Amino acid sequence: MVSTPLGNLEDITQRALRTLREVDAIACEDTRRTKSLLRNYGIRTPLVSCHDHNEKTRAADICNRILRGESFALVTDAGTPTISDPGYRVVRAVVAAGIRVVPVPGPCAAVTALAASGLPTDAFLFRGFLPRRRGKRLTALQELRRTRATLVLFEAPHRILATLADIQSTFPDSQVVVAREMTKLHEEFLRGTAAEIRRSLAERSAVRGEMVILVAPGGKLSDAPQGSLPDRVRELQKAGCERMEAIKIAAKELGMHKREAYALLTGKGSED
Ligand code: SAM
């Protein structure tokens, strides 16, 4: 089971490349995409398609071929197979057949976004894609309100504004991070409440790219990313805010107390 890059072709391990080169065949989600990925590394291993619609029968074929002595790698279009991606049925069949599953770890959008989010990482709940229908999505979010962990969600660009609106109504005070286009040219991390991020995305002529949404537990950041405080204060001052006002707003955005933010910036106690 081999993880592949999320975007940046350099994000592939030596072991992944060797495995993909040495196996007899690679089971992949989309043969065209994997072929073009492998071309970058000069790998010409034969491909077998294995996607949501044929995975059940493919799983049995793959097991039989492995039992006859062939070796297989399993990849998807990007990231780690089985994580909101095909592969679960193959892994389950392989395990049931008594064949060893060997993970060759690498990128996974959920964990990459969480690690860079600045939100608590001690407990997180990966929920993948929420339901597409609004009613079901709101119900799913309501159920998640009880959790005391950072939520990690995948979302498609054409649904991001609707989903942020629903997060806004279920988690109005929570700190949210949207990790967009990670490892790619336009990588960015948008931080704030769901309402603030939604507003900033809605101002764009189009919202494109791949996105992970993270929602902090308890409506506040427990460990605010300190590096971003001075930048945000500077930004707000440039936009016309008085310094103390800018510190107050930035502190609120980062889930910090105003005094704590002031002390961090100046090394002194608060002026008021
Ligand atoms: N199995 C994959 C993994 O391990 O990352 C995830 C596959 S899932 C079908 C695709 C979703 O992952 C996208 O809709 C987006 O939510 C997220 N994603 C994938 N690549 C991303 C990237 N470069 N930046 C942000 N999110 C990404």
Side-chain angles (χ1 to χ4, degrees):
M1 220 181 60
V2 180
S3 302
T4 55
L6 298 176
N8 189 321
L9 291 173
E10 289 176 345
D11 293 337
I12 191 156
T13 68
Q14 302 272 356
R15 190 172 165 222
L17 292 175
R18 181 176 55 74
T19 304
L20 294 172
R21 203 169 282 126
E22 288 178 0
V23 287
D24 294 311
I26 301 170
C28 63
E29 191 177 357
D30 179 337
T31 50
R32 274 175 309 179
R33 284 194 62 172
T34 299
K35 197 183 241 173
S36 108
L37 175 78
L38 295 183
R39 202 177 298 128
N40 295 294
Y41 309 115
I43 296 174
R44 287 186 192 81
T45 307
L47 303 179
V48 170
S49 83
C50 178
H51 44 70
D52 282 336
H53 305 293
N54 69 359
E55 197 182 338
K56 227 174 175 174
T57 48
R58 273 288 189 267
D61 296 345
I62 291 170
C63 283
N64 288 331
R65 286 178 63 175
I66 296 174
L67 290 170
R68 285 203 299 268
E70 282 187 69
S71 58
F72 260 87
L74 172 69
V75 301
T76 50
D77 291 349
T80 299
T82 80
I83 308 299
S84 293
D85 256 350
Y88 168 67
R89 288 194 188 95
V90 173
V91 173
R92 200 176 49 177
V94 163
V95 170
I99 300 162
R100 201 158 69 98
V101 178
V102 183
V104 179
C108 174
V111 173
T112 306
L114 175 71
S117 68
L119 302 183
T121 55
D122 52 344
F124 64 94
L125 194 152
F126 172 65
R127 176 60 179 77
F129 291 96
L130 289 173
R132 291 170 189 198
R133 304 270 289 274
R134 178 138 203 259
K136 286 192 178 168
R137 190 163 61 225
L138 279 168
T139 308
L141 284 167
Q142 285 294 346
E143 284 166 7
L144 291 169
R145 279 185 63 173
R146 274 175 249 130
T147 169
R148 305 299 304 161
T150 296
L151 300 180
V152 184
L153 311 168
F154 285 164
E155 196 46 285
H158 60 281
R159 269 192 299 274
I160 188 80
L161 294 179
T163 298
L164 283 172
D166 293 343
I167 294 174
Q168 183 179 333
S169 62
T170 14
F171 299 86
D173 311 317
S174 295
Q175 278 299 309
V176 173
V177 175
V178 170
R180 197 179 79 84
E181 291 288 84
M182 288 184 298
T183 80
K184 303 183 195 175
L185 189 63
H186 299 291
E187 173 180 277
E188 65 175 336
F189 288 85
L190 298 141
R191 302 171 210 269
T193 61
E196 286 162 348
I197 298 176
R198 188 170 180 278
R199 221 173 295 131
S200 122
L201 286 175
E203 279 168 8
R204 301 181 182 184
S205 56
V207 186
R208 294 203 187 86
E210 306 212 74
M211 279 167 256
V212 180
I213 308 174
L214 305 107
V215 184
K220 278 194 171 182
L221 266 179
S222 59
D223 279 312
Q226 300 182 5
S228 62
L229 178 70
D231 290 347
R232 185 66 184 131
V233 169
R234 224 171 290 130
E235 240 176 60
L236 288 162
Q237 282 187 287
K238 255 194 217 154
C241 286
E242 294 292 331
R243 183 163 165 77
M244 283 315 289
E245 178 67 2
I247 294 175
K248 195 170 144 192
I249 296 170
K252 188 153 181 269
E253 287 175 347
L254 293 167
M256 299 168 86
H257 196 280
K258 186 178 55 170
R259 241 174 266 148
E260 189 189 342
Y262 183 81
L264 260 172
L265 285 167
T266 61
K268 296 185 231 152
S270 172
E271 281 174 1
D272 61 359

